[in-house]
Amino acid sequence: MRALRANLFPWLVYVALFLLPWQTRYIFDQKLIGGEPFEYGTLSVYAVELLVLAAFFLGQRLMIRREHQVSVKTIGIVLLAVAISIPFSFNADLSLNAWMHLVFAGALFCLLLDQRVDRTRAMTAFVLGLIGPAVLGLFQFFSGWSPLSTIFGLAFQEASQLGASVIESEAGRQLRAYGSFSHPNVFGGYLAIGLLLTFFLASRHKTRFTYFLQLPLVSLFSFTFILTFSRSAWLAFLAAAAVGIFFIVRQHRALIRTHAPRLGLTALLLAAASLIFITPFVNRFDPNERLEQISVSERVHQYQAFPLVVNHDLLTGVGVGAYTLALAEIKPSQPAWSYQPIHNVPLLVLGEVGIVGALAMIFWAVTVDRVNYAAIRRRSVTAIGGIVLGTVPLVIIFFDHYLWSSWQGLALLMFLMAMTLRLSE
């Protein structure tokens, strides 16, 4: 029985990573603003979270390397620091549910550091899990709509529907690729990681399978990545690629010839996708476009409202997950949909969990980066992959909020930080 449990444990982790893009969940409550439901007021538990819980119990005593144990203990400190904000929250139920998502994400982080979980299989499961959402994303863009499915956690989307994320061009309103995610920006973040991991897996494991699988996967991910029209994800991917090239040139120049064809292929496919959809691509950077003006205006208002939130309680914050509800009480009489978390994770964390929680998060990030930079100084090749992956959230946190405000964002963050440590081994 013990042997069966030990063999089943890592596979549950791989299945959880494979299913991570899907939003299947049980909703048990819905908070309201002015009598209307709002996106960040949904109380739920995700199916993948239950898989993480099952794997955690099957794994029992985790086998974690000594140099990673500080990061594991620190994530416990983060959970405790965030829990302190719950009694002071604008809504304790909402904060308790948000804290629960963070606990599950922290558990996933610990599971991925277990030595029985193979890092290559974990990354492969993550990449393969994006194939379905990528195909769905292509369908959504070209058809202009996305089906409703409670089983797969899909909300109905249509280009003509108000509130849907679209790009406007001469062809009219075109639906951005959502995949299986709540927003194209989240999908873009996942695809950025999918592209980087596909490149890494193909370069490290040179088999016929990876050679022939690379072209269709990179093609699929590249085109769908462009169709998310997520500027934060594009910027994060470019920054990560630049960091990777910098360290390869600086420390392992002999690898340039090996990696050049793969880099060239990825760049060529991304350029081709951009040129094919050149009009909406260019519009995404045009400050005179109506939607871009609205986007900039909304973000300016978010930064203007931030001092009102953070001044409520600088020490413990307004409560994890309660930022939008706090905004609604501080600035009432606006539509429920207009209340959004600030598109900046450090400021959002400070607003929700105060100085105590923010310092705990910074300390945890430092413990991860310390190990990775030590490996970089040892000129470890795989550590370059770790620092490349770590660059993606470092960029996204200053332009979006989902790495903190949603389960899928938290899970992505924990996956990236765990893989950063595993690649430093």
Side-chain angles (χ1 to χ4, degrees):
M1 186 67 179
R2 184 177 295 177
L4 176 62
R5 195 162 53 221
N7 291 330
L8 184 59
F9 158 70
W11 285 100
L12 267 180
V13 178
Y14 306 145
V15 171
L17 290 175
F18 179 80
L19 296 177
L20 197 56
W22 302 96
Q23 296 186 83
T24 304
R25 59 176 173 168
Y26 171 67
I27 298 174
F28 52 86
D29 197 6
Q30 176 67 62
K31 302 301 178 183
L32 305 175
I33 292 178
E36 297 180 36
F38 64 106
E39 183 180 354
Y40 301 97
T42 304
L43 277 65
S44 62
V45 59
Y46 288 82
V48 174
E49 291 178 316
L50 300 180
L51 284 175
V52 170
L53 182 64
F56 199 81
F57 279 111
L58 276 178
Q60 294 187 342
R61 187 173 181 179
L62 299 180
M63 300 169 58
I64 297 174
R65 292 169 68 103
R66 194 173 196 177
E67 63 264 32
H68 298 163
Q69 289 178 5
V70 174
S71 297
V72 170
K73 291 175 182 177
T74 309
I75 201 68
I77 295 174
V78 169
L79 294 175
L80 180 61
V82 172
I84 293 173
S85 73
I86 297 176
F88 305 96
S89 172
F90 272 70
N91 189 291
D93 292 343
L94 196 60
S95 289
L96 189 60
N97 188 240
W99 183 75
M100 180 194 73
H101 293 317
L102 184 59
V103 169
F104 281 123
L108 178 63
F109 174 75
C110 296
L111 291 172
L112 290 170
L113 293 180
D114 191 292
Q115 293 300 297
R116 292 167 292 178
V117 175
D118 182 79
R119 69 186 185 189
T120 300
R121 287 179 175 174
M123 290 186 284
T124 302
F126 182 92
V127 169
L128 294 179
L130 286 173
I131 295 176
V135 173
L136 178 61
L138 291 178
F139 169 80
Q140 290 164 339
F141 178 79
F142 288 108
S143 68
W145 69 284
S146 180
L148 170 68
S149 174
T150 53
I151 295 176
F152 294 104
L154 300 177
F156 177 77
Q157 303 288 350
E158 192 173 32
S160 60
Q161 178 184 1
L162 291 177
S165 291
V166 298
I167 191 80
E168 291 183 342
S169 65
E170 295 172 354
R173 289 168 59 92
Q174 294 176 281
L175 190 68
R176 293 167 60 187
Y178 276 76
S180 55
F181 297 85
S182 58
H183 195 276
N185 286 353
V186 187
F187 191 20
Y190 269 75
L191 284 174
I193 299 302
L195 276 169
L196 293 170
L197 288 182
T198 302
F199 176 83
F200 177 80
L201 290 170
S203 62
R204 295 293 296 173
H205 304 278
K206 301 169 186 176
T207 64
R208 286 187 177 182
F209 177 74
T210 56
Y211 179 80
F212 286 108
L213 189 62
Q214 183 191 12
L215 180 59
L217 274 185
V218 173
S219 301
L220 175 63
F221 291 167
S222 295
F223 275 79
T224 314
F225 183 50
I226 295 300
L227 296 181
T228 64
F229 294 100
S230 172
R231 290 171 297 191
S232 61
W234 292 344
L235 181 60
F237 177 80
L238 290 175
V243 167
I245 292 170
F246 171 79
F247 278 103
I248 288 175
V249 171
R250 186 178 180 182
Q251 295 187 351
H252 303 279
R253 291 192 179 183
L255 295 176
I256 296 175
R257 186 175 297 177
T258 304
H259 292 309
R262 293 184 177 87
L263 281 170
L265 172 65
T266 305
L268 184 63
L269 287 168
L270 287 171
S274 303
L275 288 172
I276 290 173
F277 306 104
I278 187 64
T279 301
F281 181 83
V282 171
N283 287 351
R284 196 71 174 110
F285 296 95
D286 187 351
N288 296 317
E289 284 293 319
R290 185 183 68 88
L291 291 180
E292 303 313 313
Q293 290 178 343
I294 292 174
S295 177
V296 171
S297 175
E298 287 177 347
R299 299 197 180 204
V300 168
H301 288 150
Q302 288 173 6
Y303 278 93
Q304 290 173 342
F306 173 74
L308 300 175
V309 177
V310 76
N311 288 337
H312 174 76
D313 194 331
L314 188 58
L315 186 64
T316 60
V318 298
V320 58
Y323 189 93
T324 49
L325 199 60
L327 266 181
E329 295 208 19
I330 293 170
K331 299 179 65 178
S333 305
Q334 295 182 24
W337 57 264
S338 67
Y339 297 107
Q340 297 286 323
I342 187 169
H343 283 63
N344 184 306
V345 169
L347 295 184
L348 179 59
V349 171
L350 181 62
E352 288 194 345
V353 298
I355 293 176
V356 175
L359 288 177
M361 284 293 294
I362 292 171
F363 182 52
W364 170 67
V366 168
T367 65
V368 175
D369 290 337
R370 177 182 58 85
V371 174
N372 190 242
Y373 280 109
I376 284 289
R377 288 196 297 269
R378 295 195 305 269
R379 304 178 74 86
S380 166
V381 177
T382 56
I384 294 176
I387 201 168
V388 165
L389 292 181
T391 301
V392 174
L394 186 61
V395 173
I396 289 176
I397 60 172
F398 294 105
F399 297 96
D400 223 317
H401 56 72
Y402 63 84
L403 290 177
W404 177 259
S405 63
S406 70
W407 153 248
Q408 287 182 315
L410 285 169
L412 179 62
L413 177 63
M414 295 300 173
F415 171 78
L416 290 173
M417 299 300 265
M419 288 301 102
T420 293
L421 287 174
R422 293 301 303 272
L423 289 169
S424 69
E425 292 173 356

